[in-house]
Amino acid sequence: MVRWHRLVGAVAAALTAFTFAGAVPATAAPATAGDVTPYVVGGTRAAQGEFPFMVRLSMGCGGSLYTPQIVLTAAHCVGRTGANTSITATLGVVDLQSTSRITRRSSYVYRAPGYNGVGKDWALIKLQSPVTGLATLPIATTTAYNSGTFTVAGWGAPYEGGPQQRYLLKAQVPFVPDSTCRTSYPSMVVAEEICAGYTGGGIDTCQGDSGGPMFRPDAAGAWIQVGIVSYGRGCARPNYPGVYTEVSAFAAQIASAAASL
């Protein structure tokens, strides 16, 4: 089973299950990836304010605040490019039921040109009004940060086939070389995708984490986004790392598209 992404964790059994209103299981998108699941497995609960750029989207995906009015997510989470007021973004909280949560409706969706279910898995969602008081997440513009240990976070299932979560989970996953990843995913688009995870499994993104960011500290110690949760086989399975859109490969296109919205 391939999932369109997820986060899974050993702490899942202790967490209170939460189904996000109006959410569509990540496995529902796209038709070519019927066995994809997205969420954070093997994660722990994030602290309020730890990752202020995290966004929960009402179709059951994640995202990151690219600018105060634009969310970066996965192409497989959205429909075609054009006006769209059907998406609700929830921001500013780790608890989706918090009375302090910020919500914004979408006004426009921009899906990566040429996206057909293979590679190019990025999209932008313009919000109807800017969000103030929250940090945005810069994206990598070179491959300089495409190694080491990454952080992933999301409200997705805590185990394969599990429920969406009320509280934001986080986990760390190590870089997996392209040559190793291709043994698990022969169709991996090396120039556009990056892999991370453990050989023995146990920690991963999962159903509902699709579109969320994979990030790490930059040279100054600030967070920088390196990947976008895209797909994987099951969740946290041994020898099947998570596959992420390699943000630096599309940095110029993302910046240009955002400037045009």
Side-chain angles (χ1 to χ4, degrees):
M1 169 176 126
V2 175
R3 87 252 170 196
W4 287 104
H5 251 206
R6 78 289 169 180
L7 250 201
V8 182
V11 298
L15 295 177
T16 300
F18 172 74
T19 301
F20 189 68
V24 175
T27 48
T32 56
D35 56 348
V36 175
T37 56
Y39 61 90
V40 175
V41 177
T44 58
R45 193 178 296 182
Q48 177 61 36
E50 187 173 5
F51 308 122
F53 45 76
M54 289 297 300
V55 181
R56 177 63 172 175
L57 300 170
S58 56
M59 77 286 282
C61 283
S64 57
L65 200 59
Y66 178 70
T67 75
Q69 198 169 356
I70 295 176
V71 174
L72 176 62
T73 188
H76 76 259
C77 287
V78 302
R80 60 183 177 81
T81 296
N84 185 322
T85 60
S86 68
I87 301 168
T88 298
T90 300
L91 314 92
V93 294
V94 296
D95 177 0
L96 295 177
Q97 293 185 354
S98 171
T99 56
S100 299
R101 65 186 183 273
I102 299 168
T103 59
R104 291 288 190 278
R105 298 285 287 186
S106 60
S107 64
Y108 195 89
V109 164
Y110 182 95
R111 190 168 65 178
Y115 172 73
N116 62 2
V118 179
K120 300 178 177 60
D121 195 9
W122 65 269
L124 299 174
I125 298 173
K126 184 176 183 179
L127 306 177
Q128 292 185 357
S129 62
V131 177
T132 59
L134 294 180
T136 56
L137 180 60
I139 65 173
T141 57
T142 73
T143 60
Y145 299 110
N146 286 9
S147 61
T149 300
F150 307 110
T151 295
V152 289
W155 289 271
Y159 55 88
E160 190 171 321
Q164 303 293 285
Q165 297 299 295
R166 170 178 173 175
Y167 297 98
L168 181 67
L169 297 181
K170 64 177 181 177
Q172 291 190 318
V173 287
F175 169 72
V176 174
D178 293 343
S179 57
T180 301
C181 195
R182 289 197 70 184
T183 63
S184 299
Y185 304 103
S187 61
M188 172 192 176
V189 183
V190 173
E192 300 179 356
E193 297 174 336
I194 181 172
C195 299
Y198 293 90
T199 301
I203 299 177
D204 195 7
T205 49
C206 201
Q207 299 149 333
D209 292 323
S210 286
M214 179 174 75
F215 47 100
R216 54 157 290 173
D218 65 11
W223 292 124
I224 189 167
Q225 184 169 351
V226 176
I228 300 170
V229 180
S230 185
Y231 67 93
R233 184 160 297 278
C235 300
R237 295 184 185 182
N239 300 310
Y240 283 103
V243 184
Y244 302 78
T245 301
E246 187 176 324
V247 171
S248 62
F250 302 101
Q253 293 179 47
I254 291 171
S256 177
S260 71
L261 297 182

